[in-house]
Amino acid sequence: MAAILGGEATNTCGGWIKSIKTKDYIFEQGPRTIRPKGLVGLNTLNMIQDLGLSEHVHPIKFDHPAAKNRMIYANNSLHLLPSSLKGIFQKNEPFSRPLIYALFNDLWNPYKQLKDDSIYNFVERRFGKEIADYAISPMICGICAGDAKEISVKFLMKIPFEWEQTHGGVMKGLMRSMFKTKNDNNIELSELARRAQEEKWNVYTIKGGLDNFPASLLQHLMENNVDVQLNSKVDEIKFVDSSTVKLKKKTGEEIMANHVYASIPSHVLADLVVKQHPELSQNLKDIPFVTVGLVNFYFDSDKPLISPAFGFLVPPIENSPILGVVFDSCCIPDQKGTVLTVMLGGKWFKEKFGENVTEKELFNIALREVATILNIQEQPTAHNVKILNKCIPQYIIGHYEKVEQIRQYIHDHNLPISLVGSSYDGVGINDVIYSAKTQVQCCI
């Protein structure tokens, strides 16, 4: 029981991080880039260097088209979002006036005393309806495929929300924060992390496909005597006492452990603990998830079929079947021709496509939207369609209180289990890695 054991239900590691690789293109089936910003971003860069992947990192710097050019599709047209200070003083469609007026809106408007709120309501209250509709709502679609009218403001704007609640407005809070001593959290930076700061990376990826990251991590663990069991699905978790857990595998085999770090989605974990702890199981199930359709296209064309940019997102008020399109051939190195990824559904998957939509139907919808919006009339040379069922948790209003309640239950019942993964402390790669590190340190 003193050994370290890792288990995966499938034959691969990395969760939703999967890359389809050929000599001409890479199709990413999940995340494709990582942000280097903040404590959690720097922590990931440290890890990447520790794994010996520094030479395989491909940064997108602040002056790259994929960093500067991000668009939204509204009113039947693509619109470039402002990426500089100068841009907020100019009128940019689909906004009816310069974005600087949104800051005045924050200074003039009163605030509501609230424990939590949707990110849409918060932004509409502080900066106006247009910012909520055309900036924040599509951003939420891009990050978690969710509805900004349901997602908690604490998911993306915790500090601005605290400024509003404490000082009466975001700008007032920002001004006061400038005079406070900053806490740098004392993280020791690797050479790679320092380079990212000095060169002002916007995002980065891993050459040859992002799944080289979890593959390298798996190799590192195995080289350090961690017993990683693939194709090892667990059907039940039984807590024997405060330092003993019995894991019942689908094959009938039982594994005894001192402590479990559960990185599986909360709704999956709920089914594993329901016999012993139905209350915990229900709370875990209360965290909602959404399904996303992904369609990758490769066009073998000598001429570029798109303008250099990261891609575009579609505001929910446009009532489109797609959430957005990523221009992978602009973001991922060593791509030939034009490579695109179309994201569909999310919060609206069942509403748009019903219960039994086929991959062929999603392919046709994605191809139609690409032809209409980007005026690409060519047929793709290659494509891939994937329906990612219940792939992204939704941090709706009250999420963080729900997670605190779940962890309090675990503490009160002395259960030897720690919750990691995307269901609790953040949906991004950086969040998941840092959350796992934090939970392990708490148990040492």
Side-chain angles (χ1 to χ4, degrees):
M1 290 175 67
I4 300 175
L5 171 71
E8 283 280 352
T10 66
N11 63 352
T12 60
C13 291
W16 295 109
I17 304 176
K18 290 183 175 66
S19 311
I20 297 174
K21 309 165 190 180
T22 75
K23 64 182 178 62
D24 296 322
Y25 58 84
I26 295 173
F27 285 165
E28 292 290 1
Q29 302 296 283
R32 59 206 4 88
T33 57
I34 306 174
R35 291 185 63 82
K37 306 293 172 58
L39 176 65
V40 295
L42 295 170
N43 177 71
T44 301
L45 287 165
N46 285 353
M47 183 182 190
I48 287 174
Q49 177 159 322
D50 289 341
L51 292 173
L53 282 172
S54 296
E55 293 181 0
H56 301 278
V57 171
H58 175 78
I60 295 175
K61 300 177 184 178
F62 72 100
D63 56 351
H64 190 279
K68 296 192 300 181
N69 301 334
R70 294 174 183 247
M71 300 177 286
I72 61 169
Y73 180 72
N75 304 322
N76 298 316
S77 297
L78 286 171
H79 304 282
L80 197 62
L81 293 172
S83 61
S84 65
L85 183 62
K86 179 183 176 182
I88 70 170
F89 293 95
Q90 300 170 334
K91 181 178 175 297
N92 300 278
E93 291 187 359
F95 304 103
S96 61
R97 55 183 183 171
L99 297 184
I100 188 67
Y101 284 95
L103 303 183
F104 295 138
N105 192 84
D106 173 62
L107 292 171
W108 296 331
N109 276 9
Y111 79 102
K112 288 184 178 180
Q113 192 69 45
L114 299 167
K115 289 185 178 180
D116 200 355
D117 201 0
S118 76
I119 193 167
Y120 183 95
N121 286 346
F122 170 74
V123 171
E124 182 183 25
R125 181 170 65 249
R126 300 277 24 115
F127 303 112
K129 183 172 171 36
E130 285 189 343
I131 304 295
D133 281 334
Y134 293 117
I136 292 302
S137 289
M139 184 187 299
I140 292 297
C141 288
I143 295 173
C144 68
D147 186 351
K149 294 181 179 180
E150 297 181 356
I151 300 298
S152 168
V153 64
K154 298 176 185 177
F155 172 64
L156 202 62
M157 293 185 162
K158 181 181 179 182
I159 292 176
F161 179 65
E162 290 175 351
W163 286 341
E164 181 203 39
Q165 295 300 302
T166 305
H167 304 294
V170 176
M171 296 307 297
K172 293 174 183 175
L174 175 63
M175 295 300 291
R176 295 197 182 195
S177 72
M178 290 179 176
F179 299 99
K180 290 184 178 179
T181 304
K182 291 185 178 180
N183 180 13
D184 293 329
N185 294 291
N186 298 320
I187 184 172
E188 186 175 342
L189 299 184
S190 64
E191 181 182 338
L192 185 65
R194 287 196 299 272
R195 184 181 147 211
Q197 288 187 326
E198 292 167 1
E199 296 179 358
K200 299 180 180 178
W201 294 4
N202 182 265
V203 293
Y204 64 94
T205 189
I206 305 296
K207 297 174 185 175
L210 195 59
D211 67 359
N212 285 332
F213 184 9
S216 296
L217 178 57
L218 173 61
Q219 182 180 351
H220 174 80
L221 293 174
M222 294 175 69
E223 288 173 352
N224 285 273
N225 302 316
V226 175
D227 179 12
V228 180
Q229 297 187 8
L230 302 176
N231 295 308
S232 187
K233 191 174 188 298
V234 172
D235 275 352
E236 184 184 351
I237 295 176
K238 185 175 181 180
F239 300 102
V240 179
D241 53 41
S242 61
S243 61
T244 310
V245 190
K246 183 186 292 183
L247 305 175
K248 295 184 178 181
K249 295 171 64 175
K250 192 173 184 178
T251 58
E253 180 187 353
E254 293 184 350
I255 299 174
M256 304 300 291
N258 298 115
H259 196 92
V260 171
Y261 293 91
S263 61
I264 56 179
S266 57
H267 63 88
V268 178
L269 178 61
D271 292 335
L272 304 187
V273 301
V274 65
K275 287 184 180 179
Q276 269 191 317
H277 297 278
E279 181 183 342
L280 174 61
S281 175
Q282 186 57 55
N283 281 329
L284 289 166
K285 281 187 176 179
D286 285 343
I287 298 174
F289 282 68
V290 298
T291 296
V292 176
L294 280 185
V295 182
N296 306 102
F297 290 125
Y298 166 60
F299 298 90
D300 184 11
S301 173
D302 292 333
K303 64 174 183 177
L305 303 179
I306 52 174
S307 58
F310 189 86
F312 67 87
L313 295 168
V314 185
I317 58 170
E318 295 295 314
N319 198 28
S320 170
I322 70 171
L323 302 170
V325 177
V326 181
F327 296 177
D328 290 317
S329 43
C330 190
C331 310
I332 300 173
D334 303 322
Q335 304 272 54
K336 296 181 180 179
T338 297
V339 184
L340 307 173
T341 299
V342 183
M343 303 168 290
L344 306 96
K347 173 66 174 72
W348 304 272
F349 193 90
K350 189 184 296 185
E351 174 190 324
K352 299 290 185 185
F353 311 123
E355 295 275 5
N356 302 306
V357 66
T358 65
E359 292 184 354
K360 177 65 175 175
E361 288 170 329
L362 290 181
F363 167 79
N364 288 332
I365 292 168
L367 190 60
R368 182 192 70 210
E369 294 299 312
V370 163
T372 301
I373 298 172
L374 297 174
N375 195 30
I376 296 177
Q377 304 305 320
E378 298 184 19
Q379 287 296 307
T381 310
H383 71 274
N384 187 74
V385 184
K386 191 78 173 177
I387 298 175
L388 308 180
N389 186 48
K390 298 180 78 171
C391 62
I392 308 179
Q394 302 294 285
Y395 288 20
I396 60 174
I397 298 170
H399 170 82
Y400 295 93
E401 290 74 19
K402 172 66 69 176
V403 171
E404 185 178 342
Q405 181 183 349
I406 291 170
R407 286 192 167 127
Q408 189 61 49
Y409 181 98
I410 290 171
H411 177 269
D412 292 344
H413 289 78
N414 292 316
L415 304 182
I417 186 171
S418 296
L419 305 179
V420 298
S422 65
S423 301
Y424 313 103
D425 305 311
V427 302
I429 293 174
N430 291 330
D431 303 312
V432 170
I433 292 172
Y434 191 76
S435 170
K437 177 182 178 180
T438 303
Q439 290 298 315
V440 170
Q441 289 174 336
C442 286
C443 294
I444 294 177

